[in-house]
Amino acid sequence: MIRAWLRQDGRKGIRNVVAVAYLVECAHHVARRIVDKADDPDVQLIGFPGCFPNAYAAKVMEAIATHPNVGGLVIVSLGCESFNRERLRAVARASGRPAELLVIQETGGTAATIAAGAEAVARVRAAIAGVPRGPMGVEELIVGTICGGSDGTSGITANPAVGRAFDRLVADGAACLFEETGELVGCEAIMADRARTPELAVAIEQCVQKAERYYAIMGFGSFAPGNAEGGLTTQEEKSMGAYSKSGASTIDGILKPGDIPPTGGLYLLDVVPDGEPRFGFPNISDNAEIVELIACGAHLTLFTTGRGSVVGSAISPVIKICANPDTGRRLAADMDINAGRILEGAATLEQVGTEIYDKVLAIAAGERSISEQLGHQEFILTYKAFDPIGPDCLPTKTGLGGAHERAA
């Protein structure tokens, strides 16, 4: 049974994290030392490094600060960056979360702010210690998925096993998010065939075409040398493997980073910036994608890997699913599930899909994922720009046959 933390804004969290947020790289060290002094796995570091945030960065930071897994916030500002610190604190407080603000230039520098920050964290921890808890159904979960370090086994073991788990979660009413539109080039017609409406089908095709154009103009693709070394041969092969994580359910909508799914169902997260390409590689690391899933409310993320990846994330637990049996043996201490057993005939896709589904419920109920146990709390946020999603991209309650609505 999932016993969630009940937030004042009506959302339910599976963790009760104090987020310490720096607003510019100049405040990163001080914020990190505040987290270090707390020495608590539920006091975690997030932040934005740039001096001039744009609308995307502000939207994502506000979404993370009010994420259902976040109980309270301590903001660390240098003082002269352009991030609207007062707005971030106001947004957090308006959601019912305690939020404190430290400005290094006003507090007295590094040592004084670290000391003040430790006291602020203690106050926030005390304030959220009594947050009430209550039951949470599977239908209230938001679950994301990404793949990283893919190889020739990813598309035949871990990724389709996640697809099986997604199908079951969607059937139960959960919201499931898959992304990496740059790695879905060539799959747009297949996805369009699964769209709930003709208008959404057109939007899905346009979404992938945008990604293909972006990558072509920037002069790179999502097919990396590590993928080739791991046995992948073409972009199409990689795309089909990535696509298999989405399962076989109807696709109900498209989201952009920071958009919360309005109902249960299956959603494509568009992570490639809109407009003319000007930001470089759309996601400079897997953790940038995880942050965007979290900004859409993901309570946890299913991370598949063939070559091997050891990362986790701040705020929302990461479940690591290894595709390659050899990698699974080498990196067994970093993996939650060894889907490579499928390749060796020791398990079926359905069995591993059920194992993933059960692990989602166990982690949501409080079990710590392997990356959590190892202390992984990676977080990265850079620059992008997005246009608002259009009405064709979101389902309605009646259009989903009565699926539950979600609080934004």
Side-chain angles (χ1 to χ4, degrees):
M1 177 181 176
I2 303 172
R3 285 188 55 78
W5 280 269
L6 309 180
R7 307 300 177 196
Q8 290 184 30
D9 57 7
R11 302 171 81 183
K12 297 180 180 181
I14 66 170
R15 298 292 185 267
N16 198 30
V17 170
V18 175
V20 178
Y22 62 90
L23 303 186
V24 65
E25 185 62 25
C26 307
H28 188 165
H29 171 75
V30 171
R32 185 177 61 248
R33 290 292 295 119
I34 291 169
V35 172
D36 290 344
K37 286 180 72 68
D39 192 25
D40 182 337
D42 289 326
V43 177
Q44 301 181 4
L45 181 67
I46 65 173
F48 176 71
C51 197
F52 298 93
N54 62 357
Y56 160 80
K59 180 179 181 180
V60 170
M61 280 291 283
E62 290 176 11
I64 300 292
T66 56
H67 188 278
N69 289 353
V70 172
L73 185 69
V74 174
I75 302 166
V76 184
S77 162
L78 174 62
C80 54
E81 73 279 359
S82 297
F83 206 110
N84 190 334
R85 55 184 178 266
E86 295 292 350
R87 174 181 166 82
L88 182 62
R89 178 170 62 175
V91 166
R93 287 180 171 176
S95 74
R97 291 161 175 79
E100 300 213 12
L101 171 62
L102 302 169
V103 181
I104 296 170
Q105 292 169 348
E106 298 173 4
T107 305
T110 298
T113 308
I114 292 170
E119 295 173 355
V121 167
R123 288 191 294 271
V124 172
R125 287 169 74 183
I128 68 173
V131 172
R133 301 185 71 175
M136 180 181 189
V138 179
E139 74 279 1
E140 298 176 281
L141 283 173
I142 303 178
V143 182
T145 187
I146 74 160
C147 48
S150 300
D151 70 4
T153 69
S154 298
I156 55 178
T157 61
N159 289 1
V162 166
R164 301 298 199 279
F166 259 29
D167 287 341
R168 187 168 171 184
L169 288 163
V170 169
D172 286 345
C176 292
L177 321 179
F178 72 106
E179 43 80 71
E180 297 175 293
T181 45
E183 296 188 3
L184 292 169
V185 173
C187 297
E188 57 268 33
I190 309 171
M191 291 191 292
D193 286 343
R194 294 169 56 195
R196 182 165 292 278
T197 66
E199 295 79 12
L200 178 60
V202 172
I204 288 173
E205 292 188 323
Q206 292 173 342
C207 182
V208 179
Q209 289 164 1
K210 177 188 70 171
E212 185 174 19
R213 176 176 176 271
Y214 191 106
Y215 277 50
I217 290 175
M218 297 304 295
F220 51 64
S222 68
F223 192 89
N227 299 141
E229 292 171 6
L232 284 171
T233 60
T234 63
Q235 176 66 57
E236 290 80 6
E237 186 180 8
K238 185 178 184 185
S239 292
M240 288 301 295
Y243 165 78
S244 67
K245 299 197 308 300
S246 68
S249 303
T250 297
I251 298 174
D252 294 304
I254 297 173
L255 303 173
K256 296 184 181 182
D259 296 327
I260 308 299
T263 66
L266 181 64
Y267 295 82
L268 172 63
L269 174 58
D270 178 7
V271 299
V272 175
D274 291 316
E276 290 301 313
R278 60 190 187 278
F279 292 103
F281 200 85
N283 279 309
I284 62 174
S285 72
D286 294 324
N287 281 92
E289 298 170 85
I290 295 174
V291 165
E292 291 176 326
L293 288 165
I294 296 171
C296 291
H299 290 96
L300 49 83
T301 299
L302 304 175
F303 189 133
T304 66
T305 182
R307 298 297 305 280
S309 174
V310 300
V311 301
S313 178
I315 308 303
S316 294
V318 170
I319 298 174
K320 304 300 283 297
I321 305 158
C322 191
N324 189 310
D326 293 332
T327 305
R329 283 185 280 270
R330 284 196 311 274
L331 297 179
D334 281 274
M335 301 297 157
D336 294 278
I337 294 172
N338 180 11
R341 294 162 22 236
I342 298 167
L343 202 63
E344 297 180 325
T348 66
L349 279 171
E350 287 70 23
Q351 287 170 335
V352 176
T354 297
E355 187 178 347
I356 294 168
Y357 176 91
D358 291 342
K359 181 62 72 172
V360 166
L361 299 191
I363 298 297
E367 178 184 311
R368 295 282 173 165
S369 72
I370 296 296
S371 63
E372 286 184 290
Q373 294 174 36
L374 292 172
H376 282 284
Q377 296 177 0
E378 289 85 353
F379 187 95
I380 184 169
L381 176 59
T382 56
Y383 287 98
K384 288 186 180 182
F386 288 94
D387 299 328
I389 52 176
D392 294 339
C393 294
L394 288 179
T396 62
K397 184 175 182 181
T398 54
L400 280 176
H404 69 289
E405 294 188 17
R406 243 175 241 292

